[in-house]
Amino acid sequence: MTEPGSAGTEPAGRVSEDYTEQLLGRPLDLRRRDVSRGAEVSLLSARKFWHALGFPVVDTDDELFTEADQKALAAVAGIVRDGLLDEQTALAMTRAFARSADRLAGWQSQLIAEAVETHMTAALADEGDDDDHESRSVPSLETATETAKRLAVLTDRLEPLLVYAWRRHLSATVARMLADADPEAYGMTKMRSVGFADLVNFTALVRRMSERDLARLVSRFEALSADVITAHGGRLIKTVGDEVLFTTVGAAPAAAIALDLVETMTNDDVLPDVRCGMARGPIISRLGDVFGTTVNRASRLTAVAQAGSVLVDATMARELASLSGFELTGQRRRILRGVGPVTPSLLRRATSAGRRSVSGAPAPDPTHRAGSSADT
């Protein structure tokens, strides 16, 4: 078994000891054998469960566990005993929860810590003492203690929101899966539009910005990108520092997202320009991520796009050519690494009654705006 409060990497310090029981919501009054016995499983099965949660196995028999640990282990064991899932799948499901929860906990703790530091910095500046506010990769003890205190107060109120968000996203995911399995009945298609947007000259920014300012820039980029993507019914797959990956069912919502991302970042006083690449085709979904040739093509198009521009592949260009609100300009044929030959088109908003199209189709009614359909 493990020491749950350690997150598997660092020993519990004074702050952890002060707030662990409040954050766990139960007293640490059970030993590892108590937990396995209460859940009616072997120590070996218990170790597999704790390891799937992302914690290293330890040999101590101190009172490091709570009633919640026992109930969680019993729940997983019960799912296996009832034949709802085999052990391998149940452990994989536990691993999925653990990885998501680990990232969520780190993200939320960082948000609170940044809010605490901002408040402290402002207070000290008001007092004329702002000499010791250089960026630090690890919060000060004062910041960490205040962050732990606030999270201990917030935990019970945030827990229902976590369950609610999970159920909502689970419902949306199941709806997408059913639509893909029977697209005609749902009026949907198995095709997806995939888009990448990344910050231009991000490496240069990393070199000259403080860690604190860089963290704020990345957070702002993620927040603005998420707002734009969800506003058009898209699905934000992941953010990786200077890049976001999103998908939509239709081509028009993806085009609207990419153009709005470019416009939003261009008009922002803090963020540099972005460039976007998009492709349309089948994708492979796995572990909350997306893969396949379509994703690779969108990524490579992003890499060759100019700052403040959007490049789309031929499949997406053909679909957009029949819609109003967009202007497409064919570009030269390129050989993209790992993808092969691609003839991209530059995507812009339509600026007049007419528009150029790679397909040569006549210009439709310019008063009709391209809609956005939810990625469900």
Side-chain angles (χ1 to χ4, degrees):
M1 284 192 180
T2 68
E3 182 177 348
S6 69
T9 56
E10 299 179 2
R14 178 166 57 86
V15 174
S16 300
E17 292 173 354
D18 289 343
Y19 294 98
T20 294
E21 291 192 3
Q22 293 182 55
L23 291 169
L24 293 178
R26 302 283 196 284
L28 297 170
D29 57 2
L30 296 178
R31 296 179 173 84
R32 55 178 184 155
R33 293 184 182 277
D34 299 329
V35 175
S36 60
R37 188 182 303 114
E40 298 181 347
V41 301
S42 67
L43 279 174
L44 177 60
S45 294
R47 288 193 185 99
K48 290 180 181 179
F49 173 71
W50 304 127
H51 191 64
L53 281 176
F55 299 119
V57 174
V58 295
D59 295 326
T60 180
D61 205 27
D62 295 337
E63 293 179 339
L64 299 174
F65 305 95
T66 75
E67 182 185 359
D69 296 311
Q70 180 177 299
K71 287 183 177 180
L73 178 58
V76 174
I79 289 172
V80 175
R81 276 196 295 265
D82 293 343
L84 297 173
L85 295 174
D86 59 50
E87 183 181 57
Q88 182 177 358
T89 304
L91 289 175
M93 188 76 74
T94 301
R95 200 171 294 115
F97 271 116
R99 290 180 181 176
S100 300
D102 176 62
R103 185 170 186 268
L104 177 63
W107 190 351
Q108 293 180 328
S109 298
Q110 184 180 27
L111 289 174
I112 298 297
E114 288 174 357
V116 169
E117 283 206 343
T118 298
H119 177 75
M120 289 181 175
T121 299
L124 290 173
D126 290 342
E127 297 173 3
D129 179 14
D130 56 356
D131 295 332
D132 188 26
H133 297 303
E134 291 299 320
S135 171
R136 57 175 82 221
S137 58
V138 178
S140 66
L141 179 59
E142 185 180 10
T143 298
T145 302
E146 179 62 23
T147 299
K149 185 186 298 181
R150 293 192 186 189
L151 286 169
V153 172
L154 286 170
T155 300
D156 286 342
R157 295 190 179 190
L158 291 176
E159 185 175 345
L161 178 60
L162 173 62
V163 175
Y164 162 78
W166 172 65
R167 284 183 174 272
R168 270 294 178 183
H169 281 286
L170 190 62
S171 174
T173 299
V174 169
R176 284 193 296 269
M177 181 176 63
L178 290 171
D180 283 342
D182 189 7
E184 292 185 5
Y186 284 81
M188 306 291 278
T189 173
K190 292 183 180 180
M191 299 279 282
R192 288 289 188 274
S193 298
V194 179
F196 284 89
D198 73 359
L199 296 172
V200 178
N201 296 325
F202 184 73
T203 302
L205 286 174
V206 171
R207 293 195 189 102
R208 66 172 183 260
M209 294 183 72
S210 68
E211 290 181 355
R212 178 184 296 175
D213 289 340
L214 186 62
R216 289 173 178 168
L217 181 144
V218 170
S219 295
R220 183 169 181 79
F221 174 57
E222 289 182 347
L224 290 177
S225 298
D227 287 345
V228 170
I229 292 167
T230 55
H232 290 284
R235 182 179 175 221
L236 176 58
I237 302 298
K238 64 181 177 182
T239 60
V240 184
D242 62 331
E243 187 174 65
V244 296
L245 166 61
F246 63 90
T247 64
T248 67
V249 171
I257 287 170
L259 293 170
D260 279 0
L261 284 173
V262 168
E263 182 178 344
T264 299
M265 306 311 164
T266 299
N267 294 333
D268 191 89
D269 295 332
V270 176
L271 295 171
D273 289 340
V274 299
R275 55 186 180 177
C276 296
M278 294 193 295
R280 185 154 176 82
I283 61 173
I284 300 169
S285 296
R286 179 68 177 165
L287 301 176
D289 206 343
V290 292
F291 308 92
T293 302
T294 304
V295 179
N296 294 339
R297 192 161 58 248
S299 177
R300 297 305 184 197
L301 284 172
T302 306
V304 299
Q306 298 295 314
S309 70
V310 180
L311 288 181
V312 303
D313 73 346
T315 303
M316 191 160 193
R318 283 194 296 270
E319 291 207 21
L320 293 174
S322 63
L323 302 173
S324 62
F326 303 115
E327 179 180 296
L328 294 155
T329 305
Q331 306 292 291
R332 66 178 176 83
R333 185 171 179 264
R334 296 173 180 267
I335 304 298
L336 301 182
R337 181 167 58 89
V339 174
V342 175
T343 304
S345 294
L346 181 66
L347 175 68
R348 298 189 184 96
R349 295 190 194 280
T351 56
S352 63
R355 63 182 172 85
R356 289 172 294 170
S357 168
V358 292
S359 68
D365 179 5
T367 62
H368 174 69
R369 296 185 60 191
S372 61
S373 61
D375 186 14
T376 56

